[in-house]
Amino acid sequence: NAGVTQTPKFQVLKTGQSMTLQCAQDMNHEYMSWYRQDPGMGLRLIHYSVGAGITDQGEVPNGYNVSRSTTEDFPLRLLSAAPSQTSVYFCASSWGSGTMNTEAFFGQGTRLTVV
Amino acid sequence: DQQVKQNSPSLSVQEGRISILNCDYTNSMFDYFLWYKKYPAEGPTFLISISSIKDKNEDGRFTVFLNKSAKHLSLHIVPSQPGDSAVYFCAARKDYGQNFVFGPGTRLSVLP
């Protein structure tokens, strides 16, 4: 099993450009999420999905869009990149739902720089 | 306002000694806590967790203690090994789902 796979690993964008960060998991997990990591701030939740066709906003959703058409894939779209979106982005998945005590599995991350 | 705090940005420990990483939280509704380890250029990997109905959980060299009244948890690593050198994140579950709130991390260096 590959686990959670993110592409690309690195990306440089110009301000105003759009792009999609890809995330795929092969563990048949229902729950998937996107976090961003900034220095001194830990990981912050951007968007999440509890299953195909269902998405919701996390703590820092502005400037990002998501969709979940399949169980495996959960892409994150930057609509119009801004320097404040320079960060490391992590996709995660977990098999649990509701009150189940389970951990999240993370991808290797995408380091995005917006100039 | 950070709901999960790790007040020590870094910690250095000699190989073979105990490492103690601390975490404090403010939201009494958190019911499940986890520790993640992260190496450079990799994603966080799950280390150990504890439910709010317990006060201790052990897994090999790793033990997590939870003090609910103080809203404090700690991770003990005994004995510490150079391969344990990494950034450790404390995380707490919010709102019963699978969403986690992370602390800012503590960088542990285990010196040979």
Side-chain angles (χ1 to χ4, degrees), chain A residues 31 33 35 37 40-45 48 59 90 94 96-109, chain B residues 2 31-32 34 36 38 41-46 50-51 87 89 93 95-105:
Chain A
Y31 187 89
S33 53
Y35 290 84
Q37 184 194 4
M41 299 190 72
L43 282 74
R44 292 182 294 167
L45 183 66
Y48 65 96
E59 181 186 353
F90 291 101
S94 65
S97 62
T99 59
M100 298 175 72
N101 290 345
T102 61
E103 71 272 22
F105 295 82
F106 284 84
Q108 286 197 312
Chain B
Q2 282 192 340
D31 66 343
Y32 181 53
L34 308 90
Y36 278 85
K38 184 183 179 305
E42 294 185 10
T45 55
F46 171 72
I50 187 166
S51 165
V87 177
F89 291 99
R93 184 174 66 187
D95 299 335
Y96 293 106
Q98 298 299 311
N99 295 334
F100 300 104
V101 180
F102 283 81

Coordinates of all heavy atoms in Angstrom, one line a residue, chain A residues 31 33 35 37 40-45 48 59 90 94 96-109, chain B residues 2 31-32 34 36 38 41-46 50-51 87 89 93 95-105:
Chain A
Y31 N -12.6 9.3 5.7 CA -12.3 10.7 6.1 C -11.0 11.2 5.5 O -10.0 10.5 5.6 CB -12.3 10.8 7.6 CG -12.1 12.1 8.1 CD1 -13.3 12.9 8.4 CD2 -10.9 12.7 8.4 CE1 -13.1 14.2 8.9 CE2 -10.8 14.0 8.9 CZ -11.9 14.7 9.1 OH -11.8 16.0 9.6
S33 N -8.6 15.0 4.8 CA -8.5 16.4 5.2 C -7.2 17.0 4.7 O -6.3 16.3 4.3 CB -8.5 16.5 6.8 OG -7.5 15.7 7.3
Y35 N -4.3 20.1 5.7 CA -3.8 21.0 6.7 C -2.7 21.8 6.0 O -2.1 21.4 5.1 CB -3.1 20.2 7.8 CG -4.1 19.5 8.7 CD1 -4.6 18.2 8.4 CD2 -4.5 20.0 9.9 CE1 -5.4 17.5 9.2 CE2 -5.4 19.3 10.8 CZ -5.8 18.1 10.4 OH -6.7 17.4 11.3
Q37 N 1.0 23.8 7.3 CA 1.9 24.0 8.4 C 2.7 25.3 8.2 O 3.4 25.4 7.1 CB 2.8 22.8 8.5 CG 3.7 22.9 9.8 CD 4.9 22.0 9.8 OE1 5.1 21.2 8.8 NE2 5.6 22.0 10.9
G40 N 6.0 27.9 13.7 CA 5.5 28.3 15.0 C 4.0 28.1 15.2 O 3.5 28.5 16.3
M41 N 3.3 27.5 14.2 CA 1.8 27.5 14.4 C 1.3 26.1 14.3 O 0.1 25.9 14.3 CB 1.2 28.3 13.3 CG 1.6 29.8 13.4 SD 0.6 30.8 12.3 CE -0.9 30.8 13.1
G42 N 2.1 25.1 14.2 CA 1.5 23.7 14.0 C 0.8 23.5 12.7 O 1.0 24.3 11.8
L43 N -0.1 22.6 12.7 CA -0.9 22.3 11.5 C -2.3 22.8 11.7 O -2.9 22.6 12.8 CB -1.0 20.8 11.2 CG 0.3 20.1 10.6 CD1 1.4 19.9 11.6 CD2 -0.1 18.7 10.1
R44 N -2.8 23.5 10.7 CA -4.1 24.1 10.8 C -5.0 23.5 9.7 O -4.6 23.4 8.5 CB -4.1 25.6 10.7 CG -3.4 26.3 11.9 CD -3.4 27.8 11.7 NE -2.6 28.2 10.6 CZ -2.6 29.5 10.1 NH1 -3.4 30.4 10.6 NH2 -1.8 29.8 9.1
L45 N -6.2 23.1 10.1 CA -7.1 22.5 9.2 C -7.7 23.4 8.2 O -8.3 24.5 8.5 CB -8.3 21.8 10.0 CG -9.3 21.0 9.2 CD1 -8.6 19.7 8.6 CD2 -10.4 20.6 10.2
Y48 N -12.1 19.6 5.0 CA -12.1 18.1 5.3 C -13.4 17.5 4.6 O -14.3 18.2 4.2 CB -12.1 17.8 6.8 CG -13.4 18.3 7.5 CD1 -14.4 17.4 7.8 CD2 -13.4 19.6 8.0 CE1 -15.5 17.8 8.5 CE2 -14.5 20.0 8.7 CZ -15.6 19.1 9.0 OH -16.7 19.6 9.7
E59 N -10.5 25.4 9.8 CA -10.2 26.6 10.5 C -9.8 27.7 9.5 O -10.0 28.9 9.8 CB -9.0 26.3 11.5 CG -8.5 27.4 12.3 CD -7.3 27.1 13.1 OE1 -6.9 25.9 13.1 OE2 -6.7 28.0 13.8
F90 N -0.3 19.5 3.9 CA -0.4 18.1 4.2 C -1.8 17.6 4.0 O -2.8 18.2 4.5 CB 0.1 17.7 5.6 CG 1.5 17.9 5.8 CD1 2.0 19.1 6.5 CD2 2.4 17.0 5.4 CE1 3.3 19.3 6.7 CE2 3.8 17.2 5.6 CZ 4.2 18.3 6.3
S94 N -8.2 9.1 7.4 CA -8.4 8.2 8.6 C -9.6 7.3 8.3 O -10.5 7.7 7.6 CB -8.5 8.9 9.9 OG -9.7 9.7 9.9
G96 N -11.7 6.2 10.7 CA -12.7 6.4 11.7 C -13.8 7.4 11.3 O -13.6 8.2 10.3
S97 N -14.8 7.4 12.0 CA -15.8 8.5 11.9 C -16.5 8.7 13.2 O -16.4 7.9 14.1 CB -16.9 8.1 10.8 OG -17.5 6.9 11.3
G98 N -17.1 9.8 13.3 CA -17.8 10.1 14.6 C -16.9 10.1 15.8 O -15.9 10.7 15.8
T99 N -17.3 9.3 16.8 CA -16.5 9.3 18.0 C -15.4 8.3 18.1 O -14.8 8.1 19.1 CB -17.5 9.1 19.2 OG1 -18.1 7.8 19.0 CG2 -18.5 10.1 19.3
M100 N -15.2 7.6 17.0 CA -14.1 6.5 17.0 C -12.8 7.1 17.2 O -12.4 8.2 16.7 CB -14.1 5.8 15.7 CG -15.5 5.1 15.4 SD -15.5 4.3 13.8 CE -14.4 2.9 14.1
N101 N -12.0 6.5 18.0 CA -10.6 7.0 18.3 C -9.6 6.4 17.4 O -9.2 5.3 17.5 CB -10.2 6.6 19.8 CG -11.0 7.4 20.8 OD1 -11.6 8.4 20.5 ND2 -11.0 6.9 22.0
T102 N -9.3 7.1 16.3 CA -8.4 6.7 15.3 C -7.4 7.8 15.0 O -7.7 8.9 15.2 CB -9.1 6.2 14.0 OG1 -9.8 7.4 13.5 CG2 -10.1 5.1 14.3
E103 N -6.3 7.4 14.4 CA -5.3 8.4 14.1 C -5.4 8.7 12.6 O -6.0 8.0 11.8 CB -3.9 7.9 14.3 CG -3.4 6.7 13.4 CD -3.7 5.4 13.9 OE1 -4.7 5.2 14.7 OE2 -3.1 4.4 13.4
A104 N -4.9 9.8 12.2 CA -4.8 10.2 10.8 C -3.5 9.8 10.2 O -2.4 9.9 10.9 CB -5.0 11.7 10.7
F105 N -3.5 9.4 9.0 CA -2.3 9.1 8.2 C -2.0 10.3 7.3 O -2.9 10.7 6.6 CB -2.5 7.8 7.4 CG -2.7 6.6 8.2 CD1 -3.9 6.3 8.8 CD2 -1.6 5.7 8.5 CE1 -4.1 5.2 9.6 CE2 -1.8 4.6 9.3 CZ -3.0 4.3 9.8
F106 N -0.8 10.7 7.3 CA -0.4 11.9 6.5 C 0.4 11.6 5.3 O 1.2 10.6 5.3 CB 0.4 12.9 7.4 CG -0.5 13.7 8.3 CD1 -0.8 13.1 9.6 CD2 -0.9 14.9 8.0 CE1 -1.6 13.8 10.5 CE2 -1.7 15.6 8.9 CZ -2.1 15.1 10.1
G107 N 0.2 12.4 4.2 CA 1.1 12.3 3.1 C 2.4 13.0 3.4 O 2.6 13.6 4.5
Q108 N 3.3 13.0 2.4 CA 4.7 13.6 2.6 C 4.7 15.1 2.5 O 5.7 15.7 2.9 CB 5.7 13.0 1.6 CG 6.0 11.6 1.9 CD 7.3 11.2 1.1 OE1 7.4 11.4 -0.1 NE2 8.2 10.6 1.8
G109 N 3.6 15.7 2.1 CA 3.6 17.2 2.0 C 3.9 17.8 0.7 O 4.6 17.2 -0.1
Chain B
Q2 N -4.3 29.9 20.6 CA -3.9 28.5 20.5 C -4.6 27.7 21.5 O -4.5 27.9 22.7 CB -2.4 28.3 20.6 CG -1.6 28.8 19.3 CD -0.2 28.3 19.3 OE1 0.4 28.0 20.4 NE2 0.4 28.3 18.2
D31 N -11.5 15.2 23.7 CA -11.6 13.9 24.4 C -10.6 12.9 23.9 O -10.7 11.7 24.4 CB -13.1 13.4 24.1 CG -13.3 13.1 22.7 OD1 -12.5 13.6 21.8 OD2 -14.3 12.4 22.4
Y32 N -9.8 13.2 23.0 CA -8.8 12.3 22.5 C -7.6 13.0 22.1 O -7.6 14.1 21.4 CB -9.4 11.6 21.3 CG -8.6 10.5 20.6 CD1 -8.1 9.4 21.4 CD2 -8.4 10.5 19.3 CE1 -7.3 8.4 20.8 CE2 -7.7 9.5 18.6 CZ -7.2 8.4 19.4 OH -6.4 7.4 18.8
L34 N -3.3 12.9 20.8 CA -2.3 12.1 20.0 C -1.0 12.8 20.0 O -0.9 14.0 20.2 CB -2.8 11.9 18.6 CG -4.2 11.4 18.3 CD1 -5.2 12.6 18.2 CD2 -4.2 10.6 17.0
Y36 N 2.4 13.0 17.4 CA 2.9 12.7 16.1 C 4.4 13.1 16.1 O 4.8 14.0 16.8 CB 2.2 13.5 15.0 CG 0.9 12.9 14.6 CD1 -0.3 13.2 15.3 CD2 0.9 12.1 13.5 CE1 -1.5 12.6 14.8 CE2 -0.3 11.5 13.0 CZ -1.5 11.8 13.7 OH -2.7 11.2 13.3
K38 N 7.6 14.0 13.5 CA 7.9 14.5 12.1 C 9.3 14.7 11.8 O 10.0 15.4 12.5 CB 7.1 15.8 11.8 CG 7.2 16.2 10.4 CD 6.5 17.5 10.2 CE 6.7 18.0 8.7 NZ 8.1 18.0 8.2
A41 N 11.1 17.0 5.8 CA 10.7 16.7 4.4 C 9.8 15.4 4.4 O 9.7 14.8 3.4 CB 11.9 16.5 3.5
E42 N 9.2 15.1 5.5 CA 8.3 14.0 5.6 C 7.0 14.4 6.3 O 7.0 15.5 6.9 CB 8.9 12.8 6.4 CG 10.0 12.1 5.7 CD 10.5 10.9 6.5 OE1 9.8 10.5 7.4 OE2 11.6 10.4 6.2
G43 N 5.9 13.7 6.1 CA 4.7 14.0 6.8 C 4.7 13.5 8.2 O 5.6 12.6 8.6
P44 N 3.9 14.0 9.1 CA 3.8 13.5 10.5 C 3.4 12.1 10.5 O 2.6 11.6 9.7 CB 2.7 14.4 11.1 CG 2.6 15.6 10.2 CD 2.9 15.1 8.8
T45 N 4.0 11.3 11.4 CA 3.6 9.9 11.6 C 3.1 9.7 13.0 O 3.7 10.3 14.0 CB 4.8 9.0 11.3 OG1 5.9 9.3 12.2 CG2 5.2 9.0 9.9
F46 N 2.1 9.0 13.2 CA 1.4 8.7 14.4 C 2.4 8.0 15.4 O 3.0 7.0 15.0 CB 0.1 7.9 14.2 CG -0.5 7.4 15.5 CD1 -1.1 8.3 16.3 CD2 -0.4 6.1 15.8 CE1 -1.7 7.9 17.5 CE2 -1.0 5.6 17.0 CZ -1.7 6.5 17.8
I50 N -4.1 8.8 23.5 CA -4.7 8.5 24.8 C -6.1 9.1 24.8 O -6.3 10.2 24.3 CB -3.9 9.0 26.0 CG1 -4.5 8.6 27.3 CG2 -3.8 10.6 26.0 CD1 -3.6 8.8 28.5
S51 N -7.0 8.3 25.3 CA -8.4 8.8 25.4 C -8.5 9.5 26.8 O -7.8 9.3 27.7 CB -9.4 7.6 25.4 OG -10.6 7.9 25.9
V87 N 10.7 16.5 15.2 CA 9.7 17.5 15.8 C 8.5 16.6 16.3 O 8.0 15.8 15.5 CB 9.3 18.5 14.8 CG1 8.2 19.4 15.4 CG2 10.5 19.4 14.3
F89 N 4.6 16.7 17.6 CA 3.4 17.5 17.7 C 2.4 16.8 18.6 O 2.2 15.6 18.5 CB 2.8 17.7 16.3 CG 3.5 18.5 15.3 CD1 4.4 17.9 14.4 CD2 3.4 19.9 15.4 CE1 5.1 18.7 13.5 CE2 4.2 20.7 14.5 CZ 5.0 20.1 13.6
R93 N -8.4 16.0 19.6 CA -9.6 15.9 18.8 C -10.7 16.9 19.3 O -10.9 17.0 20.4 CB -10.2 14.5 18.7 CG -11.3 14.4 17.7 CD -11.8 13.0 17.6 NE -12.4 12.5 18.8 CZ -12.7 11.2 19.0 NH1 -12.6 10.4 18.0 NH2 -13.2 10.8 20.1
D95 N -14.7 18.2 18.6 CA -16.1 18.1 18.0 C -16.4 16.6 17.6 O -17.1 16.4 16.6 CB -16.3 19.0 16.8 CG -16.2 20.4 17.3 OD1 -16.4 20.7 18.4 OD2 -15.9 21.3 16.4
Y96 N -15.8 15.6 18.2 CA -16.1 14.2 17.9 C -15.7 13.7 16.6 O -15.8 12.6 16.3 CB -17.6 13.9 18.2 CG -18.0 14.1 19.6 CD1 -18.7 15.2 20.1 CD2 -17.6 13.2 20.6 CE1 -19.1 15.3 21.4 CE2 -17.9 13.3 21.9 CZ -18.7 14.4 22.3 OH -19.0 14.5 23.6
G97 N -15.4 14.5 15.6 CA -15.1 14.0 14.3 C -13.7 13.5 14.2 O -13.2 13.0 15.2
Q98 N -13.1 13.6 13.1 CA -11.7 13.3 12.9 C -10.9 14.5 12.6 O -9.8 14.4 12.1 CB -11.6 12.3 11.7 CG -12.4 11.0 11.9 CD -11.9 10.2 13.1 OE1 -10.7 10.0 13.2 NE2 -12.8 9.8 14.0
N99 N -11.3 15.6 13.1 CA -10.5 16.9 13.0 C -9.7 17.0 14.2 O -10.1 16.8 15.3 CB -11.5 18.1 12.9 CG -12.3 18.1 11.7 OD1 -11.9 17.5 10.7 ND2 -13.4 18.7 11.7
F100 N -8.4 17.4 14.0 CA -7.5 17.5 15.1 C -7.0 19.0 15.1 O -6.8 19.6 14.1 CB -6.3 16.6 14.9 CG -6.7 15.1 14.9 CD1 -6.8 14.4 13.7 CD2 -7.1 14.5 16.0 CE1 -7.2 13.1 13.6 CE2 -7.5 13.1 16.0 CZ -7.6 12.5 14.8
V101 N -6.7 19.4 16.4 CA -6.0 20.7 16.6 C -4.6 20.4 17.1 O -4.4 19.6 18.0 CB -6.8 21.5 17.7 CG1 -6.1 22.8 17.9 CG2 -8.2 21.7 17.3
F102 N -3.7 21.0 16.4 CA -2.3 20.7 16.6 C -1.6 21.8 17.4 O -1.9 23.0 17.2 CB -1.5 20.5 15.3 CG -1.8 19.2 14.7 CD1 -2.9 18.9 13.9 CD2 -0.8 18.1 14.8 CE1 -3.1 17.7 13.3 CE2 -1.1 16.9 14.2 CZ -2.2 16.7 13.4
G103 N -0.6 21.4 18.3 CA 0.3 22.3 18.9 C 1.4 22.7 17.9 O 1.5 22.1 16.8
P104 N 2.2 23.7 18.3 CA 3.2 24.2 17.4 C 4.4 23.3 17.2 O 5.3 23.5 16.3 CB 3.6 25.5 18.0 CG 3.3 25.4 19.4 CD 2.1 24.5 19.5
G105 N 4.5 22.3 18.1 CA 5.6 21.3 18.0 C 6.8 21.6 18.9 O 7.0 22.8 19.3

